[in-house]
Amino acid sequence: MEHYPGFFIALEGIDGSGISTQIARLSQALSAHRKIMTTKQPSNGPVGSLIRQVLTGRLQGVNSKTLALLFAADRQDHFAQEVESVLADGGVVLCDRYLWSTFAYQGLDLDVSWLRQINGFTVAPDLTVLIKVRPAVSMKRIEEGRFHAELFEQEDLLERIYTNYLTLVAEAKEAGQRVVEVDGEQSAEDVTVAVLAAIFQAFPQIELT
């Protein structure tokens, strides 16, 4: 697998865990040290746009396997079109959801080994940060902040997705991968401080530049 001089950091968590807020805050804090790109999955590309239509119910009739394949295709296109050049230039990419989201969400009703197979060429992030928020707390945030719910935003589903994320953390740690768990029920400021500390601990060269 090709090594890039930049740093690819993925933030993961169930819906309502505050990932988007943290991406914005981290971008501001890290911009003093390195070139920063913030991005997300589904991406803003053509495949990502289709996925968002499915998740919000505007596009009907797409089964779970097709949706998983769309996510895999979007991930490849997104990396090639947006992420790779920033990493090659030594920058920091902060991604709002990445590969773990497929395993945590699509893994509800699809075989995880198949999901790993169709994502076999996906470039792994250098660090994955799981922002942990209990499903009951995330649902309260969603209900207070929006007038509609997306496909996966039901508490019973979020409980299962949350469990999948905990399994992914355990597996990643056992495999020696860089992963950090952060309490997402703290204030936004405290979450940012914790994530920054994790990033600087994993990659001290970022802070020194």
Side-chain angles (χ1 to χ4, degrees), residues 100 116 124 126 128 168 171-180:
W100 278 18
R116 292 186 186 279
D126 298 303
T128 300
L168 288 165
E171 291 174 348
K173 288 182 175 179
E174 186 175 350
Q177 299 170 10
R178 285 196 181 103
V179 56
V180 173

Side-chain angles (χ1 to χ4, degrees), residues 82-137:
E82 297 184 39
V83 176
E84 188 170 25
S85 60
V86 179
L87 297 179
D89 195 38
V92 175
V93 175
L94 298 170
C95 192
D96 183 338
R97 301 191 179 282
Y98 193 59
L99 185 57
W100 278 18
S101 287
T102 280
F103 301 146
Y105 284 77
Q106 274 74 53
L108 290 174
D109 60 353
L110 295 174
D111 181 60
V112 175
S113 63
W114 179 75
L115 293 172
R116 292 186 186 279
Q117 183 179 7
I118 65 173
N119 286 278
F121 293 100
T122 297
V123 176
D126 298 303
L127 173 67
T128 300
V129 179
L130 176 63
I131 299 181
K132 294 173 65 175
V133 175
R134 289 168 296 170
V137 175

Side-chain angles (χ1 to χ4, degrees), residues 25 41 51 64 66 75 92 98 105-106 117-118 144 149 172 190:
R25 294 177 63 87
Q41 290 192 351
I51 293 171
S64 57
T66 301
R75 197 160 287 125
V92 175
Y98 193 59
Y105 284 77
Q106 274 74 53
Q117 183 179 7
I118 65 173
E144 290 175 349
D190 288 342

Side-chain angles (χ1 to χ4, degrees), residues 9-26 95-97 100 105 128-135 138 141 161-162 165-166 169 179-188 190-196 199:
I9 301 167
L11 271 69
E12 296 276 8
I14 63 175
D15 299 83
S17 56
I19 297 174
S20 298
T21 297
Q22 290 306 316
I23 290 282
R25 294 177 63 87
L26 292 167
C95 192
D96 183 338
R97 301 191 179 282
W100 278 18
Y105 284 77
T128 300
V129 179
L130 176 63
I131 299 181
K132 294 173 65 175
V133 175
R134 289 168 296 170
S138 72
R141 291 178 178 179
I161 294 164
Y162 184 72
Y165 270 123
L166 297 183
V169 167
V179 56
V180 173
E181 300 171 82
V182 173
D183 178 6
E185 296 181 24
Q186 310 174 78
S187 68
D190 288 342
V191 174
T192 303
V193 169
V195 177
L196 280 174
I199 291 172

Side-chain angles (χ1 to χ4, degrees), residues 42-54 56 58-59 74:
S43 74
N44 290 320
V47 185
S49 297
L50 281 175
I51 293 171
R52 284 195 299 278
Q53 290 182 55
V54 175
T56 56
R58 287 177 291 165
L59 181 61
D74 182 47

